Amino acid sequence: MTSQSYTKSTSRSLPIALLRARETVMAPVRDMLQNIPMTEQKWRILRVLDELGEVEQSTIAHEACLLLPSLTRILRTMEADGQITRRQDNHDKRCTKVKITDEGRGILEENLLASLVISSNIEAQLGREKLDHLLNLLEELQAVKI
Amino acid sequence: MTSQSYTKSTSRSLPIALLRARETVMAPVRDMLQNIPMTEQKWRILRVLDELGEVEQSTIAHEACLLLPSLTRILRTMEADGQITRRQDNHDKRCTKVKITDEGRGILEENLLASLVISSNIEAQLGREKLDHLLNLLEELQAVKI
DNA sequence: TATTGTTATACTCTATAACTATA
DNA sequence: TATAGTTATAGAGTATAACAATA
């Protein structure tokens, strides 16, 4: 930090530090996604649906960090590609319920090994304890009320 | 995690956990940036330049997590807006050296208080120790070779 | 009136390749 | 041959408002 800096070191800025760490982690993930091929956003949606089962779009948007207008467009192509299904909710007809298909699950399954290799590599370098601690802190931060 | 899930919980996925944590932290920062107004990318560039002094574009791209073609376009408008200056390097004429201007610094200065309020708020909720520990772990992760 | 989701629009960033200039 | 940066281009995401349908 130079004497005329108005701001603290960028590596001690949480938004910047989170971004840089994510870019590091995402590098091999992007290589993997290019082979599928699939965007990061679609991959997150599949992961969220695999985890949560049949859910409404607002939930997906929140969990996958996407805006509803973006999600509408992305789900349209994922439905056309047979990766997800959508149906109107019986009780609240405003809601659309979204579910992953076997084909969507197949994409996750096919890339399970590659995913594991990537996370094992990170774990091997950072150490299991630090990685667990980091994930705990990130979960805690994510829940902070701002 | 449901019995048919192929992947581990998304909150234990480093790419997703980093993204969610960042979205939480960025919410108030985006409010601040809207008032300037300025994009996240330009804000990161100003922060990096304020920290590093006069540097070449490849360095900015790396530090601010931007691709060179994106940076070229963004710096063009920032130069037109008087926030940065660019000059050809004397020794290596392929290099462009970029420096923040007083006007660019002024933007950082004007928003220093708002920035501090945001980070203080996070620190108050997460705790100073945890925040420091998190930043240390992020720095370590960012340096991992993948 | 509030909520869920869609559509429209403008803007911005991403990603890649091809290119220029310089080393 | 390699490197620093630019340009071109296509694609995708972001952000906001306005809207329709439903609660």
Side-chain angles (χ1 to χ4, degrees):
Chain A
M1 185 144 86
T2 61
S3 59
Q4 67 271 38
S5 278
Y6 288 119
T7 49
K8 66 185 169 202
S9 163
T10 52
S11 60
R12 306 307 287 183
S13 152
L14 207 41
I16 293 177
L18 287 167
L19 179 59
R20 287 178 181 159
R22 184 161 197 275
E23 287 301 301
T24 300
V25 170
M26 282 305 291
V29 177
R30 291 200 178 105
D31 292 341
M32 181 191 79
L33 292 175
Q34 273 203 326
N35 292 330
I36 299 185
M38 164 153 300
T39 65
E40 290 177 37
Q41 290 77 5
K42 287 180 182 175
W43 180 257
R44 288 204 301 277
I45 291 169
L46 288 182
R47 291 288 304 267
V48 166
L49 289 176
D50 182 48
E51 182 176 19
L52 300 182
E54 190 176 39
V55 288
E56 58 197 78
Q57 294 187 185
S58 301
T59 305
I60 302 173
H62 181 257
E63 295 295 313
C65 299
L66 291 166
L67 295 178
L68 267 177
S70 299
L71 191 64
T72 293
R73 182 179 36 70
I74 296 171
L75 288 182
R76 188 160 49 223
T77 73
M78 292 180 78
E79 187 178 31
D81 293 343
Q83 296 158 0
I84 57 122
T85 57
R86 306 198 301 168
R87 68 171 184 85
Q88 197 178 45
D89 183 76
N90 298 322
H91 304 298
D92 186 339
K93 290 188 176 176
R94 293 173 304 182
C95 286
T96 307
K97 295 286 197 169
V98 183
K99 203 162 65 169
I100 191 170
T101 62
D102 287 343
E103 192 171 334
R105 262 182 226 287
I107 293 172
L108 292 176
E109 195 182 8
E110 285 160 22
N111 295 279
L112 181 59
L113 182 61
S115 298
L116 284 175
V117 167
I118 293 170
S119 38
S120 299
N121 186 5
I122 294 169
E123 185 179 318
Q125 288 189 66
L126 195 64
R128 172 69 173 275
E129 259 185 55
K130 282 185 180 175
L131 182 57
D132 276 345
H133 198 167
L134 175 58
L135 286 167
N136 292 343
L137 286 169
L138 290 174
E139 252 182 296
E140 211 170 325
L141 177 60
Q142 185 216 139
V144 157
K145 280 273 150 265
I146 306 197
Chain B
M1 184 145 87
T2 62
S3 60
Q4 67 271 37
S5 278
Y6 288 119
T7 49
K8 67 186 168 200
S9 163
T10 53
S11 61
R12 306 307 288 183
S13 153
L14 207 41
I16 293 177
L18 287 166
L19 178 60
R20 287 179 181 158
R22 183 160 197 276
E23 287 302 301
T24 300
V25 170
M26 284 304 292
V29 177
R30 291 198 178 106
D31 292 342
M32 180 191 80
L33 293 175
Q34 273 202 326
N35 292 331
I36 298 184
M38 164 154 297
T39 65
E40 292 176 37
Q41 290 78 7
K42 287 181 182 175
W43 180 256
R44 288 204 301 277
I45 291 169
L46 288 182
R47 291 287 303 267
V48 165
L49 289 176
D50 182 48
E51 181 176 20
L52 300 183
E54 190 175 41
V55 288
E56 56 197 79
Q57 296 189 180
S58 302
T59 304
I60 303 173
H62 181 257
E63 295 295 313
C65 299
L66 290 166
L67 295 179
L68 267 177
S70 298
L71 191 64
T72 294
R73 180 182 36 72
I74 296 170
L75 288 182
R76 188 160 49 222
T77 74
M78 291 179 78
E79 188 177 31
D81 292 343
Q83 297 158 1
I84 59 123
T85 57
R86 305 197 304 165
R87 66 170 185 85
Q88 197 178 46
D89 183 78
N90 298 322
H91 304 297
D92 186 340
K93 293 189 176 177
R94 295 171 303 179
C95 286
T96 307
K97 295 286 198 170
V98 182
K99 201 161 65 168
I100 191 170
T101 62
D102 286 343
E103 190 170 335
R105 263 183 226 284
I107 293 172
L108 291 177
E109 196 182 9
E110 285 160 21
N111 294 279
L112 181 59
L113 182 61
S115 298
L116 284 176
V117 167
I118 293 170
S119 39
S120 300
N121 187 5
I122 294 170
E123 185 178 319
Q125 288 189 65
L126 195 65
R128 173 69 173 274
E129 260 186 53
K130 280 184 182 176
L131 181 58
D132 275 344
H133 198 167
L134 174 57
L135 287 166
N136 291 344
L137 287 169
L138 289 174
E139 249 182 298
E140 210 169 325
L141 177 59
Q142 185 216 140
V144 156
K145 280 272 150 264
I146 308 198

